[in-house]
Amino acid sequence: QKSTTGQSHAKIIFFGEHSVVYGQPAICLPISKIKTVVSIKSSSEGQQVSSRYFTGFLSEMPESQTGIQLLIKTVLTELNQEKTPFGLTITSEIPAERGMGSSAATAVAIVRAFFHFFKQPLSHTELLRLADVSEQYIHGNPSGLDAATVSSQTPIWFVRGRRPQAIPIKQNTFLVIADTGIMGQTGLAVQHVKSQLASDPQAEAAIESLGKYAKQARHCLAIGDSKKLGLLMNHSQTILSKLGVSHPTLDLFANLSLSNGALGAKLTGGGMGGCLISLTPDKPSAEKVATVLEKHGAIHTWIEPLVTLNRKG
Ligand code: PMV
């Protein structure tokens, strides 16, 4: 029986969430140890899909799964395989609605798995274009940053509408990613920022500052200035909080991180829940921050050495 897989991984936004929607740059990091795997087997029993949300025929997927259903149908049409039976299984370690790119990772892994299954070449541009089918459906008007990062092996510099650039990182620091357990609300947060921009004359300057911090952070990453990098994270968090996209638990986690040795801390992704990221100078301090945050309610923490993120493969 023929069987193939397609993979992708989680992501976080280091700098530039929200401002990226308005043309400012963002720095995004792939988190390759948190994976999504899609496997496809040949089948004689129609087109079947199985995931943590649904098991059954493609044609019977519930409304909540319409984005994925639409993506699969689009891919099959492009590959001229509309009627071919298969059994597709989605296995993901990425928590949903936490700003870690779970929907984009599923989309990227599905596209890769089908192209592999039907032995068709797939360019990166085509991969991103197809992944965008479900992302558009699920998120309305996403910047495209999620799909670009969950399919990348290197940290990227992302500007809306431009080709993502790999960026070098010279660091010996560690990131702690802490899941508040609260569903992030990217759609709501994006709307909230939009209405702030319409009503608050200071909001535009806030967006520009977030972009400026991303530019300065790129420089800090390249030269290894982790102290300044931490400060830039704190400045970004202050602004994101003023824009109204933080959450009391994120603010609490940020303060706890800073009082336990972190160089900086901020929310990541859309906010209003989701995850906090803290930059720590070494592994023991990362472990300390992770322990403290878990004690205060983080449902999961991951420690990610920043130095290895620019390795290929
Ligand atoms: O919550 P996430 O990780 O999907 O990130 C959303 C990032 C925003 O800048 C808030 C929106 C976007 O489309 O880029």
Side-chain angles (χ1 to χ4, degrees):
Q1 202 183 25
K2 195 167 117 179
S3 166
T4 61
T5 59
Q7 282 206 18
S8 60
H9 46 251
K11 72 106 213 325
I12 56 161
I13 301 177
F14 203 174
F15 286 91
E17 48 275 277
H18 289 291
S19 44
V20 73
V21 174
Y22 301 96
Q24 299 290 339
I27 298 175
C28 315
L29 308 177
I31 307 294
S32 34
K33 69 180 177 210
I34 311 175
K35 288 190 194 310
T36 298
V37 180
V38 167
S39 66
I40 300 179
K41 286 191 303 204
S42 44
S43 156
S44 52
E45 291 163 44
Q47 301 180 324
Q48 296 189 51
V49 177
S50 164
S51 74
R52 59 185 155 184
Y53 304 110
F54 170 77
T55 296
F57 289 107
L58 175 69
S59 56
E60 291 169 3
M61 289 179 87
E63 216 182 309
S64 65
Q65 300 294 299
T66 306
I68 297 294
Q69 187 191 44
L70 197 65
L71 172 68
I72 295 174
K73 286 184 176 167
T74 307
V75 171
L76 290 173
T77 305
E78 296 224 355
L79 291 167
N80 283 320
Q81 301 285 352
E82 283 101 325
K83 300 260 181 310
T84 309
F86 59 80
L88 177 148
T89 306
I90 304 167
T91 314
S92 184
E93 300 166 354
I94 310 176
E97 315 275 340
R98 302 295 204 285
M100 294 180 80
S102 87
S103 66
T106 297
V108 163
I110 286 175
V111 177
R112 282 179 168 160
F114 271 119
F115 275 72
H116 197 185
F117 188 73
F118 292 114
K119 297 197 173 61
Q120 291 301 310
L122 175 67
S123 72
H124 195 62
T125 312
E126 206 174 359
L127 170 66
L128 296 186
R129 178 180 60 80
L130 283 167
D132 202 44
V133 169
S134 52
E135 286 296 279
Q136 287 286 350
Y137 187 87
I138 296 166
H139 296 299
N141 184 21
S143 62
L145 162 164
D146 274 24
T149 316
V150 302
S151 60
S152 170
Q153 299 297 335
T154 63
I156 59 172
W157 179 254
F158 183 90
V159 178
R160 194 169 191 160
R162 294 203 207 142
R163 215 187 153 85
Q165 276 175 33
I167 54 169
I169 289 193
K170 183 171 169 255
Q171 285 284 313
N172 277 312
T173 48
F174 287 76
L175 274 180
V176 181
I177 306 167
D179 185 352
T180 62
I182 301 159
M183 293 272 194
Q185 300 186 61
T186 301
L188 191 66
V190 169
Q191 277 311 312
H192 183 77
V193 172
K194 193 173 170 188
S195 59
Q196 293 274 101
L197 279 163
S199 62
D200 178 358
Q202 286 181 355
E204 202 168 310
I207 295 293
E208 273 169 27
S209 299
L210 290 173
K212 187 180 76 188
Y213 298 148
K215 286 178 200 147
Q216 292 176 354
R218 180 180 183 167
H219 182 64
C220 292
L221 283 167
I223 65 166
D225 188 345
S226 43
K227 279 220 170 90
K228 172 111 186 264
L229 194 60
L231 287 178
L232 293 169
M233 290 173 78
N234 296 340
H235 294 336
S236 300
Q237 174 62 17
T238 304
I239 292 199
L240 288 163
S241 192
K242 272 194 193 145
L243 281 171
V245 297
S246 191
H247 183 280
T249 306
L250 289 167
D251 295 335
L252 171 72
F253 281 12
N255 289 333
L256 285 167
S257 299
L258 296 177
S259 54
N260 283 280
L263 301 165
K266 66 182 275 295
L267 63 83
T268 178
M272 293 186 163
C275 294
L276 186 94
I277 52 173
S278 317
L279 183 73
T280 62
D282 49 40
K283 193 152 188 216
S285 53
E287 282 162 354
K288 183 173 176 202
V289 167
T291 306
V292 169
L293 297 184
E294 280 180 12
K295 226 185 246 166
H296 284 81
I299 60 165
H300 203 123
T301 57
W302 296 267
I303 294 177
E304 191 73 24
L306 208 43
V307 70
T308 61
L309 290 174
N310 57 348
R311 273 194 214 139
K312 289 230 174 203

